[in-house]
């Protein structure tokens, strides 16, 4: 692709045209409109929230000291296990499902995760002579030496991969009108390949579809970057007088997460009535903190090869950091852990819900389309059953309620299942602009490793 105006966005500069001039103060008289009542109402709301926080903290101290019993929260599930989740969905109580995903949902598609011993990307970065594995995703290191990142990018670059059974299960939730939003840490774009509506997908750690010069912020397309990265060479900005490096729009350590992540995080979790977490160790913040943003009675299901979720905290820490998970607790009323690969977990859910054949047919049909569109690539190797999830040193007990594994071999279908209409729910997808994107506000949370590891990578 040529490198003219068609391949890159406008240079950075003054975006004052996008700003509206401020008029007279709204607190003035009739000319400006008196909204003092509205301001007073906002102040009352803020004061009420502060009082609620104080009250919750006092209650937590009292519970910790044994002066007060921990409040009983009524479970929304008939039984707090796999079967309870299935019945909850069948009964139509889960209408706004949020899914959260990490690298574990893509390993069966042939994309390695980051932490699995021996096969994870961080175990195989020695050849890049890095001071430490995570330096490859450090913005400071990238500015000094971008070559290791682009060497790795050539291996990770989105190509002709077949989405996993798990990806297509998420698409089925969309088609059945049950998916409120899908939050992913992955940068492999397999959700898009699987047919997930971009409006329903939040890529918390960015993507390869666009890139920006790290100096002047000029925007470039994926094709423009790919042409140069695969030569191989380091993509350099073509704006006159600028020699900055063009970095794909994936989030490095020290960078703010996309505004869309923060917007949807604020809007969606209060509406969520079922949270399904798959293929992530939940070590990377602030993504990991999303599990604590649902209402306190909303069921949460965790599908992973091993249980690496943070445990339930004491009452005081719960007020500050969130509740954690209580899979084996005596008073557990909402947390279910399904131990196994993400593909097997999703197929087990589909079978129990009566969607098994539909899911198998969808996988077979869509994979055949990918093969037909890419005859020179051949078929991808069969998935490894033990690599669908990130591994940790945890050794959880397998839940007694886990159903027997079902045969997940897809059966060939004559046609693609008909896609039903699903109107995206608020939180609009920002459109790519020709203008330089504004810098994030100072209060925007930065991507940081979780407390479980000082060297936790940002993107998974």
């Amino acid at each position: 692709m040529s490198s003219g105006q068609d391949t890159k966005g406008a240079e950075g500069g003054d975006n004052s045209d996008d700003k509206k001039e401020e008029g007279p103060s709204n607190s003035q008289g009739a000319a400006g409109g008196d909204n003092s009542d509205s301001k007073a109402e906002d102040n009352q709301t803020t004061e009420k929230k502060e009082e609620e926080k104080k009250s919750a903290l006092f209650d937590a101290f009292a519970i910790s000291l044994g002066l007060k019993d921990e409040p009983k929260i009524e479970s929304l599930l008939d039984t707090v296990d796999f079967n309870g989740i299935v019945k909850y969905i069948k009964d139509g109580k889960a209408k706004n499902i949020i899914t959260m995903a990490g690298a574990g949902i893509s390993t069966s598609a042939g994309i390695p995760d980051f932490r699995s011993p021996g096969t994870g990307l961080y175990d195989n970065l020695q050849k890049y002579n890095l001071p430490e594995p995570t330096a490859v995703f450090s913005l400071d290191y990238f500015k000094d030496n971008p070559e290791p990142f682009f060497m790795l990018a050539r291996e990770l670059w989105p190509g002709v991969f077949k989405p996993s059974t798990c990806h297509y299960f998420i698409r089925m939730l969309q088609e059945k009108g049950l998916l409120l939003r899908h939050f992913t840490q992955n940068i492999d774009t397999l959700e898009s390949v699987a047919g997930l509506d971009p409006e329903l997908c939040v890529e918390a750690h960015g993507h390869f579809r666009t890139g920006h010069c790290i100096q002047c912020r000029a925007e470039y397309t994926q094709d423009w970057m790919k042409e140069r990265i695969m030569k191989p060479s380091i993509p350099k900005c073509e704006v006159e007088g600028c020699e900055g490096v063009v970095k794909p729009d994936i989030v490095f350590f020290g960078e703010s997460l996309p505004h869309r992540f923060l917007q949807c995080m604020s809007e969606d979790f209060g509406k969520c009535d079922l949270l399904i977490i798959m293929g992530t160790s939940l070590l990377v913040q602030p993504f990991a903190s999303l599990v604590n943003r649902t209402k306190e009675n909303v069921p949460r299901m965790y599908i992973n090869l091993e249980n690496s979720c943070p445990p339930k905290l004491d009452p005081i820490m719960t007020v500050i950091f969130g509740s954690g998970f209580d899979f084996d607790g005596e008073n557990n009323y909402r947390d279910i852990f399904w131990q196994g690969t993400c593909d097997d977990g999703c197929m087990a859910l589909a079978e129990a819900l009566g969607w098994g054949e539909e899911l198998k047919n969808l996988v077979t049909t869509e994979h055949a389309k990918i093969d037909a569109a890419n005859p020179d690539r051949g078929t991808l190797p069969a998935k490894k059953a033990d690599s669908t999830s990130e591994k940790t040193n945890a050794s959880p007990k397998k839940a007694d309620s886990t159903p027997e594994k079902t045969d997940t071999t897809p059966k060939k279908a004559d046609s693609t299942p008909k896609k039903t209409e699903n109107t995206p729910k608020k939180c609009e997808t920002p459109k790519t602009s020709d203008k330089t994107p504004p810098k994030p506000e100072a209060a925007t949370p930065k991507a940081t490793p979780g407390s479980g590891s000082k060297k936790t990578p940002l993107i998974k």
Side-chain angles (χ1 to χ4, degrees):
M1 180 176 287
S2 62
S3 57
Q5 294 179 348
D6 291 337
T7 60
K8 60 183 178 181
E11 296 178 35
D14 187 3
N15 65 350
S16 58
D17 290 342
D18 293 335
K19 299 177 181 178
K20 296 182 179 179
E21 293 185 9
E22 293 183 2
S25 170
N26 286 334
S27 61
Q28 295 177 0
D34 187 353
N35 68 345
S36 57
D37 291 342
S38 177
K39 286 186 176 180
E41 186 176 334
D42 290 342
N43 290 335
Q44 290 177 357
T45 301
T46 301
E47 290 175 2
K48 183 179 179 182
K49 288 182 178 179
E50 290 299 322
E51 287 299 320
E52 288 175 351
K53 288 181 181 178
K54 289 180 183 178
S55 177
L57 193 56
F58 283 131
D59 287 345
F61 273 115
I63 293 170
S64 297
L65 295 173
L67 303 176
K68 187 175 182 179
D69 292 333
E70 192 166 355
K72 273 268 190 182
I73 299 175
E74 185 177 352
S75 177
L76 298 179
L77 303 172
D78 288 356
T79 56
V80 187
D81 53 21
F82 178 90
N83 293 328
I85 291 290
V86 171
K87 188 174 188 302
Y88 184 73
I89 298 173
K90 279 186 171 182
D91 289 348
K93 296 178 181 178
K95 298 178 181 178
N96 290 290
I97 299 174
I98 289 180
T99 51
M100 293 173 55
I105 74 168
S106 295
T107 51
S108 64
I111 301 173
D113 63 16
F114 281 76
R115 297 186 185 85
S116 290
T119 60
L121 288 173
Y122 280 140
D123 261 10
N124 294 282
L125 287 176
Q126 296 88 346
K127 57 186 175 183
Y128 301 129
N129 297 318
L130 299 168
E132 56 189 19
T134 54
V136 75
F137 296 118
S138 162
L139 189 59
D140 290 337
Y141 186 83
F142 178 85
K143 290 177 179 178
D144 291 336
N145 182 16
E147 179 60 28
F149 168 76
F150 287 113
M151 291 171 66
L152 181 60
R154 284 190 280 276
E155 298 182 28
L156 292 177
W157 197 269
V160 184
F161 293 104
K162 296 177 182 176
S164 66
T165 298
C166 187
H167 288 101
Y168 288 113
F169 177 78
I170 298 168
R171 172 175 156 178
M172 283 185 61
L173 292 177
Q174 167 189 286
E175 293 179 347
K176 294 179 183 297
L178 302 178
L179 184 67
L180 173 61
R181 203 81 62 190
H182 173 66
F183 289 78
T184 180
Q185 293 172 281
N186 300 334
I187 58 172
D188 53 38
T189 71
L190 285 183
E191 286 90 356
S192 176
V193 177
L196 199 63
D197 186 340
E199 174 62 26
L200 298 183
C201 184
V202 176
E203 296 165 310
H205 295 160
H207 52 76
F208 282 97
R209 287 189 297 277
T210 54
H212 285 83
C213 171
I214 62 175
Q215 288 186 16
C216 75
R217 302 302 299 160
E219 182 175 287
Y220 292 82
T221 65
Q222 178 173 328
D223 288 341
W224 183 94
M225 291 187 293
K226 181 179 181 181
E227 179 183 348
R228 287 149 182 81
I229 292 172
M230 296 303 178
K231 273 187 178 180
S233 66
I234 295 176
K236 292 292 186 70
C237 183
E238 296 183 342
V239 172
E240 185 176 355
C242 181
E243 296 183 355
V245 176
V246 177
K247 182 181 80 67
D249 289 338
I250 61 175
V251 183
F252 277 21
F253 283 126
E255 291 188 299
S256 299
L257 270 65
H259 174 71
R260 176 168 159 77
F261 169 82
L262 303 175
Q263 179 186 4
C264 292
M265 174 183 73
S266 299
E267 294 180 4
D268 292 344
F269 279 82
K271 307 171 189 174
C272 175
D273 48 30
L274 174 61
L275 180 64
I276 303 177
I277 308 116
M278 300 174 281
T280 172
S281 57
L282 291 175
L283 293 177
V284 181
Q285 297 292 353
F287 188 88
S289 67
L290 296 181
V291 300
N292 295 314
R293 297 189 69 88
T294 65
K295 294 178 181 177
E296 61 182 4
N297 63 342
V298 170
R300 304 181 297 187
M301 182 175 186
Y302 179 43
I303 302 173
N304 208 40
L305 199 59
E306 295 187 359
N307 178 9
S308 55
C309 282
K312 183 177 176 64
L313 302 173
D314 65 62
I316 296 177
M317 299 301 284
T318 293
V319 173
I320 301 173
F321 298 110
S323 62
F325 288 88
D326 193 25
F327 298 120
D328 300 318
E330 183 178 343
N331 297 318
N332 179 21
Y333 59 91
R334 64 167 177 164
D335 294 331
I336 292 89
F337 172 51
W338 195 95
Q339 186 172 21
T341 68
C342 296
D343 284 353
D344 285 346
C346 287
M347 183 55 73
L349 272 175
E351 292 280 9
L353 291 166
W355 308 343
E357 288 303 310
E358 183 181 354
L359 179 56
K360 293 174 186 176
N361 290 341
L362 179 61
V363 172
T364 301
T365 302
E366 293 301 311
H367 281 187
K369 288 180 180 178
I370 294 173
D371 286 340
N374 302 276
D376 295 336
R377 294 296 296 268
T379 57
L380 294 177
K383 69 176 183 178
K384 294 181 180 180
D386 60 351
S387 62
T388 306
S389 174
E390 294 180 296
K391 295 183 180 181
T392 65
N393 293 325
S395 298
K397 295 185 295 183
K398 189 164 184 176
D400 294 334
S401 59
T402 303
E404 295 181 1
K405 299 293 191 300
T406 57
D407 180 11
T408 59
T409 303
K411 296 181 180 179
K412 194 166 185 179
D414 294 332
S415 60
T416 306
K418 185 177 180 181
K419 185 171 182 178
T420 58
E421 183 177 355
N422 180 38
T423 303
K425 299 162 186 173
K426 297 186 179 180
C427 189
E428 297 179 355
T429 305
K431 297 182 180 178
T432 302
S433 172
D434 288 339
K435 295 189 177 181
T436 301
K439 293 183 179 180
E441 298 177 3
T444 303
K446 300 293 191 298
T448 59
S451 59
S453 171
K454 293 182 179 180
K455 302 297 182 184
T456 305
L458 174 63
I459 63 173
K460 296 175 61 180

